[in-house]
Amino acid sequence: MNLQSAINKELFIPRDERMLVAVEVRRRKRKRMSFMPTGAKGDYTTFICVSVTNARPHQLHITKVKQFCGSPSFTRRSQWTVEQLRQVNGINPNKDSPEFDLVFDNAGDQWVAISSAEKCIFVQILYHACQTYWNGKAGSLGKAGKLGKVSSQRRASQSAQHEVKAGSSGSPPASTSKSLQARRKSYVPPRQTEFINCQSKLTGDACTMNLVIYRCKAFLNRMKNMMVANQRRSPGQPGGSTMGNVVQRMNVALGERGNRLSRAEDKTVELMQKTQQLADTAHKAVHLPQPPSSPAPLPTHLALKRSK
């Protein structure tokens, strides 16, 4: 089970939520700080997770999760709704970079992901989750507005009927319509999350292939980090060179396979050359000039007659 599955199973599934993506991060103190894995006593690893509730209406959450060194469990630290997420800053719109910022109503954090591919996956999934959420929100508000309009029309017709029945000559009651107008004027649509300095391929519609590519890059980067960590271990520790041995065996097997293929190719070329030589020899033999044929010997009785 990978880290994302473990976080989802431990923290989000019991709360009837579904995690969409998680990225391992550390705080950015200065620009272009290289990511250093934590390993000392008392250190922890931080994850930023995006989750959605299973119950309707769906709610989109951004959660900060920590895993302390030596502990297999995860701890939920802070959680915000998508309405509190004001801005996502991709820092550099021209190239893949691991830095990004998240700005909330009451907080703002500057982060560095473990790789640019991990950050791109996070931003891409978060963007489309926000778009889906806000579109659904706008649709529900539109339905509510239509229902409110219909109910106001019904109330207006009922008040008109009451006025006709009462036969009063005074001004019609306008308290209901005035309150509705005041509500409409005071209503402010929710402010959507702003994505700035993000690459267009992360916020575009046709980005399925980009997501697959970034997932492959993230996987290769994790494998590379694992190999480097295993190489740094001392030879006496168990499992210190397991990954190195696997890679070495794979390289040897690939080398042997390449050598066999090279030898087979050389033999094929040699056979082709011999076949061509045989074909040329056969062609020359067919077209050689034939020697003149000698006259057939005469029968014995004819030869005796000629001799007499």
Side-chain angles (χ1 to χ4, degrees):
M1 182 183 298
N2 57 19
L3 285 174
Q4 294 198 20
S5 300
I7 295 173
N8 186 35
K9 183 177 180 180
E10 182 175 345
L11 297 181
F12 294 101
I13 292 179
R15 297 169 65 96
D16 198 23
E17 295 183 25
R18 177 170 55 91
M19 192 182 71
L20 302 179
V21 65
V23 59
E24 183 179 346
V25 296
R26 64 163 297 167
R27 292 191 180 275
R28 187 176 75 250
K29 296 181 180 179
R30 60 178 183 273
K31 279 192 173 183
R32 297 181 181 178
M33 173 179 285
S34 60
F35 180 83
M36 299 295 293
T38 58
K41 184 177 180 180
D43 286 346
Y44 54 85
T45 305
T46 304
F47 301 90
I48 302 296
C49 307
V50 178
S51 62
V52 62
T53 59
N54 294 323
R56 293 179 180 272
H58 298 298
Q59 295 294 327
L60 192 63
H61 294 151
I62 296 91
T63 309
K64 185 191 300 182
V65 175
K66 291 187 178 182
Q67 183 185 29
F68 290 90
C69 182
S71 174
S73 60
F74 301 92
T75 304
R76 185 192 303 265
R77 283 300 187 183
S78 305
Q79 189 175 66
W80 300 270
T81 62
V82 70
E83 286 87 355
Q84 296 174 313
L85 179 61
R86 293 305 177 199
Q87 187 182 90
V88 178
N89 190 346
I91 305 300
N92 195 333
N94 299 319
K95 68 175 184 178
D96 296 343
S97 62
E99 297 91 358
F100 67 98
D101 296 344
L102 298 179
V103 180
F104 300 94
D105 286 337
N106 56 354
D109 291 319
Q110 298 178 339
W111 299 109
V112 180
I114 59 174
S115 67
S116 59
E118 298 275 358
K119 172 242 184 171
C120 290
I121 293 173
F122 175 80
V123 172
Q124 189 171 3
I125 294 178
L126 176 60
Y127 173 79
H128 287 280
C130 289
Q131 293 299 310
T132 303
Y133 176 82
W134 291 118
N135 291 338
K137 194 82 170 177
S140 62
L141 289 175
K143 292 180 181 179
K146 290 181 181 179
L147 293 175
K149 186 176 180 180
V150 171
S151 61
S152 63
Q153 291 176 355
R154 288 179 180 175
R155 284 194 294 269
S157 63
Q158 290 175 1
S159 62
Q161 292 175 2
H162 178 71
E163 180 185 359
V164 169
K165 290 179 180 179
S168 61
S169 59
S171 61
S175 59
T176 305
S177 60
K178 287 183 179 179
S179 63
L180 287 174
Q181 291 178 359
R183 289 177 186 176
R184 290 174 183 174
K185 290 181 180 180
S186 62
Y187 172 75
V188 178
R191 180 181 169 187
Q192 299 187 11
T193 306
E194 183 182 13
F195 286 77
I196 63 173
N197 297 327
C198 296
Q199 295 171 292
S200 58
K201 61 184 179 182
L202 302 181
T203 57
D205 294 331
C207 57
T208 305
M209 184 57 65
N210 292 328
L211 186 60
V212 173
I213 292 173
Y214 283 128
R215 288 188 185 278
C216 294
K217 287 183 178 180
F219 174 76
L220 293 175
N221 185 73
R222 286 194 292 267
M223 294 295 294
K224 178 182 177 182
N225 293 338
M226 189 182 301
M227 291 173 60
V228 171
N230 288 331
Q231 288 177 358
R232 288 179 179 176
R233 293 180 183 177
S234 60
Q237 290 183 348
S241 59
T242 304
M243 185 59 66
N245 293 335
V246 172
V247 174
Q248 185 177 2
R249 287 196 296 269
M250 291 176 63
N251 290 332
V252 171
L254 290 174
E256 293 178 353
R257 183 181 180 87
N259 293 333
R260 288 196 296 268
L261 290 174
S262 298
R263 290 195 296 269
E265 186 177 359
D266 294 339
K267 289 182 179 179
T268 303
V269 172
E270 184 179 356
L271 290 174
M272 289 177 63
Q273 292 176 353
K274 289 183 178 180
T275 304
Q276 187 65 35
Q277 290 177 359
L278 290 174
D280 294 342
T281 303
H283 183 73
K284 291 178 181 179
V286 169
H287 292 83
L288 284 176
Q290 297 294 331
S293 58
S294 57
L298 295 172
T300 306
H301 63 281
L302 293 176
L304 291 175
K305 287 181 180 180
R306 285 187 179 183
S307 61
K308 289 181 180 180

